[in-house]
Amino acid sequence: MRDTELLRWAHRFEILRGELRAGSAEQLLVTQLAAFREFIDTPPWAPLPHLPPPITDRADAAGAEHLLLVCHYLLALPAVVAAAADPPAARTALTELLAWLGELAADWARDGVDEERAGALAAHNHELHHAAQGV
């Protein structure tokens, strides 16, 4: 099951990379979230369902490492776009983020989860979560 979900998300991160078209930073966020909504079967007009708290502890994703990757994507998306100097820089940064997440998901599905990288990703999620809260 874990390998199947990791492979599914490797493919989904590739789809999200394909959604990085020209436009403003706001349009980048909108298209990314619209594509993400399709993955969780939520129509564009419906509110996002209640998402679980961010996964900031490696133990919380044991056996469901795809959630660790998805959480990282959702936490990093606004931070990456906000940090970019302009929309082309945001597209480049998001392309790199999505490529890295897709490769990581595929690697973990093929070779097993690298616990050191998973722990580092959870720690980074913790940092992003606190930065988003202004803590």
Side-chain angles (χ1 to χ4, degrees):
M1 173 71 173
R2 172 175 65 193
D3 295 347
T4 302
E5 284 299 320
L6 285 167
L7 287 174
R8 181 176 292 134
W9 277 97
H11 178 68
R12 288 174 172 174
F13 290 132
E14 187 62 33
I15 291 169
L16 288 167
R17 281 177 61 195
E19 294 296 324
L20 294 172
R21 297 182 184 95
S24 68
E26 182 178 298
Q27 288 169 322
L28 285 172
L29 286 172
V30 168
T31 58
Q32 287 291 291
L33 290 175
F36 181 80
R37 285 171 169 276
E38 290 181 26
F39 299 147
I40 60 171
D41 295 324
T42 303
W45 61 87
L48 276 174
H50 177 70
L51 297 173
I55 297 173
T56 58
D57 185 324
R58 167 65 185 107
D60 292 341
E65 285 76 10
H66 67 285
L67 295 177
L68 184 64
L69 299 171
V70 171
C71 179
H72 187 76
Y73 166 73
L74 290 172
L75 287 169
L77 176 63
V80 166
V81 171
D86 55 32
R91 270 191 302 287
T92 299
L94 286 174
T95 298
E96 292 169 0
L97 172 67
L98 290 164
W100 178 72
L101 288 170
E103 289 168 12
L104 194 54
D107 288 350
W108 287 358
R110 183 185 61 248
D111 303 328
V113 176
D114 178 327
E115 291 300 325
E116 185 176 325
R117 290 176 84 185
L121 187 59
H124 193 211
N125 286 354
H126 183 77
E127 293 168 11
L128 288 168
H129 178 63
H130 284 289
Q133 291 182 327
V135 176

